[in-house]
Amino acid sequence: MNTGAPAVLVLGGTGFLGRHIAAGFAAVGARVVPAARHGATRVDLTAADPGPLAALLRDVRPDVVVNASGRAWGAGVEEMSAANRDAVATLAAALAELPGRPRLIHLGSVHEYGPGTVGAGTGEDHEPAPVTDYGRSKLGGTRAVLDAVRTKELDAIVLRLANVCGPGTPRGSLLGSVAARLAEAHAAAGAAAEPVELRLAPLRAHRDFVDVRDVVDAVLTAARTPRPAHPVLNIGSGAARPMRRIIDRLVALSGLPVRIVEDTGDPRRTDAEWQQLDITRARRVLCWSPARDLDTSLSDLLDAARAELTTQTVIERKS
């Protein structure tokens, strides 16, 4: 075990979740090593040779490892399986061989559950039945961690996250994409612009959203909590909201005139139309509850999108 400040290795440390988590640990005095395929500390969990990962673990000697890596938007089935399932199995096996047995916090997904029951929250004891390739690959990763907990006494907690939003939400997601387009429209003509047309897929679904900073709070708490008897914990708002209403609110907060057009849906689309997590176990085990409301998350998302656009514009003018 390291002395002094705890060492925290954040895998996927340059991504949306990873950046926030690394900053959260640094703010409480931890020695943070963010690692990713691209960055100062490089590691590719999908590589055939697990040697570089083992070497990184020996070098850092982490007290806590947070797995915020993986692939979602724009990735194919094989790529998601390699990053979200196979890489996690490799990581769990490597951690189980370390003498110090660091705490692993693996970030799972609400999409592992599949369709929820309309009007009710999905608890951790619900039998997973994912309906998307992403959900199936994430479930494979969670099962790899739980297998290592059971057979190799791996010290691990799985946080199954609801859909995450807030400042820095990737443009590949629906909310990130809409926020970026609103920021561009605002920069182009201001609040007095002609109505902006947003063409979106049908907004029929109900989704549970949690602020990324509330996720950070849950991860920090999980890092210092004794391993629970049931190592899977749901992290969400505990409420399902209509996606149309969420998008309408994001538009209202932008102050722009916007016309939303919902295109005809893809008949092959299999996304669950109701996602709501039961967060009772997280409240009990972690003494954690979400602290930020959706309006705060959406407002900060818009502010961050505008700031990013301004920074990009300045860089382009200087180049």
Side-chain angles (χ1 to χ4, degrees), residues 10 13 22 161 180 236 276 310:
V10 181
L161 306 183
Q276 178 180 332
T310 299

Side-chain angles (χ1 to χ4, degrees), residues 298-316:
L298 297 179
S299 294
D300 293 347
L301 167 58
L302 281 169
D303 289 343
R306 290 168 179 163
E308 181 180 359
L309 182 61
T310 299
T311 300
Q312 290 175 348
T313 302
V314 171
I315 292 174
E316 290 171 358

Side-chain angles (χ1 to χ4, degrees), residues 179-305:
R181 291 161 70 183
L182 292 172
E184 290 164 359
H186 186 273
E194 291 296 317
V196 178
E197 182 176 280
L198 291 178
R199 301 193 71 89
L200 304 173
L203 301 171
R204 297 187 298 261
H206 288 65
R207 291 286 184 263
D208 189 333
F209 276 91
V210 63
D211 189 282
V212 65
R213 293 157 294 188
D214 285 326
V215 171
V216 172
D217 292 342
V219 171
L220 292 176
T221 304
R224 61 178 182 266
T225 297
R227 190 176 76 192
H230 302 285
V232 178
L233 302 172
N234 287 340
I235 301 297
S237 70
R241 297 177 174 88
M243 282 305 305
R244 179 60 191 249
R245 191 176 301 169
I246 293 173
I247 296 299
D248 284 344
R249 187 58 185 153
L250 185 58
V251 167
L253 290 168
S254 77
L256 290 169
V258 174
R259 180 172 62 254
I260 296 175
V261 178
E262 295 185 46
D263 289 330
T264 302
D266 184 345
R268 298 168 298 176
R269 188 164 180 166
T270 57
D271 289 1
E273 293 197 5
W274 180 275
Q275 290 179 339
Q276 178 180 332
L277 290 177
D278 182 340
I279 59 174
T280 302
R281 184 181 291 178
R283 293 183 190 275
R284 184 180 70 250
V285 173
L286 300 180
C287 297
W288 171 91
S289 294
R292 295 155 184 91
D293 61 25
L294 188 59
D295 261 19
T296 298
S297 295
L298 297 179
S299 294
D300 293 347
L301 167 58
L302 281 169
D303 289 343

Side-chain angles (χ1 to χ4, degrees), residues 129-151:
V131 294
T132 64
D133 293 325
Y134 174 71
R136 285 185 281 270
S137 67
K138 289 295 291 183
L139 178 59
T142 291
R143 285 176 169 166
V145 171
L146 298 181
D147 285 346
V149 169
R150 184 179 64 256
T151 63

